[in-house]
Amino acid sequence: MKLSGLAILTLIASLALAAAWPTGAEALTPLQTSQATGLSVEPKTSFSGGFDFRFQFESHSTTLSIDPLGHRHTASSSLTTKDGSISLSGRFDRTDRTIKITATRSGRQIGEYSWRVEAVLR
């Protein structure tokens, strides 16, 4: 199989980027947040790539998956609670390399979470 110069350059660039990407949730640096009362979040690395953010409220939980290197730059989910549904909306912003997740209830924002994604050359 013969590869063109552009194909080889693309392959090298993608391998270098993959090698620079941290392999765990330590790649996430928490930024200032306004946490929704009673709602907890646990970020971790997804097996399929990217990051999973597991939110829990009382006995209910949901997970948002965002992959900065892949095609999942946005995600949404909801939790049903006795006080009403909590909607979660997340997105990755390439310009400042942050993942921001907003929690709303009845159309009103009740919390915001954000992490900076750090790439480390090894």
Side-chain angles (χ1 to χ4, degrees), residues 7-78:
I8 292 171
L9 184 59
T10 303
L11 178 62
I12 291 170
S14 62
L15 289 174
L17 186 57
W21 204 253
T23 58
E26 69 272 4
L28 299 173
T29 302
L31 300 175
Q32 186 174 3
T33 62
S34 60
Q35 186 160 340
T37 305
L39 185 65
S40 65
V41 60
E42 176 189 2
K44 56 186 175 179
T45 301
S46 170
F47 178 73
S48 61
F51 302 100
D52 284 344
F53 298 89
R54 183 175 180 267
F55 286 86
Q56 185 165 351
F57 189 89
E58 298 167 346
S59 62
H60 306 282
S61 66
T62 189
T63 301
L64 269 72
S65 297
I66 298 177
D67 184 2
L69 288 180
H71 297 289
R72 289 179 289 129
H73 290 183
T74 61
S76 61
S77 188
S78 64

Side-chain angles (χ1 to χ4, degrees), residues 88-114:
L88 298 162
S89 174
R91 68 179 173 80
F92 173 68
D93 186 337
R94 288 182 189 182
T95 56
D96 62 0
R97 297 184 334 268
T98 57
I99 294 173
K100 296 177 184 172
I101 300 175
T102 304
T104 57
R105 180 184 283 137
S106 302
R108 186 176 64 89
Q109 184 173 323
I110 60 171
E112 183 177 74
Y113 306 82
S114 58

